[in-house]
Every structure is written in structure tokens, then in C-alpha cells.
Amino acid sequence: MIDDDGNYLVYSVFPFHPEKKFEIFTVDLKPGVSHISEKHIGEEYVLIQRGILTLDVQGEKFELNTDETIKFNANSEHIYINSSDELVRFYIIISYPD
């Protein structure tokens, strides 16, 4: 998936499989870009491969650096923000309930 301007690029690493109940993506977020993710079911795990990502979950902001991680319930809108002048690359694992 790529947003309209090509600034938020998502690549499926392991697509959803109903027996496994999770999926994994790699995301490239270009410098100076924010991406709003609508709420969805599941628990989301974000692992920063490189760069600095700000994650806004219900108005609470978390700054994540290379090799840092966070998990949160994805049932509310969340925003990925790259305020730097370098590309941010991160993994998203979404675990779905039974």
C-alpha cells in the first residue's frame, strides 16, 4: 500500500493467515510526513528499524528511536509522524483476537 503522495509505503512481509491470527508489515515513512491510521481491531506492535518515529495514540505521544518498540491497542485512531529529515523504517505486527 502506498498513500496518494508516495510518502507512506507499506510492504507486506507475512500476510494475514486465519490460523495464525497476525500479519507483519514493513513501513517507510518519508521525512516530514504524518500518516493517520484509522482504528482497527487487534493489538499493534511497532519496532523501529531506523530513524525516529513519533507515534500519537489518542493524544499521547511517544518518541521511538532505532531498535525501540511499543505495543498498543489499535482500536483508536493513531498517527505515525516523521518530524526528522531522514526516512523512518519500521515494522508493524498486528495480532488479532480469537
Side-chain angles (χ1 to χ4, degrees), residues 47-53 64-69 89:
L47 302 87
I48 308 303
Q49 183 184 19
R50 98 171 162 226
I52 300 170
L53 176 73
L64 304 165
N65 293 286
T66 300
D67 295 330
E68 291 187 326
T69 62
R89 175 168 286 161

Side-chain angles (χ1 to χ4, degrees), residues 17-68:
H17 187 282
E19 292 177 11
K20 306 239 187 266
K21 307 269 192 237
F22 73 90
E23 57 189 330
I24 302 175
F25 302 95
T26 298
V27 178
D28 287 341
L29 186 61
K30 292 190 177 177
V33 171
S34 297
H35 176 78
I36 298 172
S37 179
E38 299 297 323
K39 64 183 179 179
H40 54 87
I41 62 170
E43 192 166 55
E44 194 162 316
Y45 299 77
V46 177
L47 302 87
I48 308 303
Q49 183 184 19
R50 98 171 162 226
I52 300 170
L53 176 73
T54 301
L55 178 63
D56 183 326
V57 180
Q58 291 186 326
E60 189 171 359
K61 292 187 178 181
F62 305 90
E63 186 173 280
L64 304 165
N65 293 286
T66 300
D67 295 330
E68 291 187 326

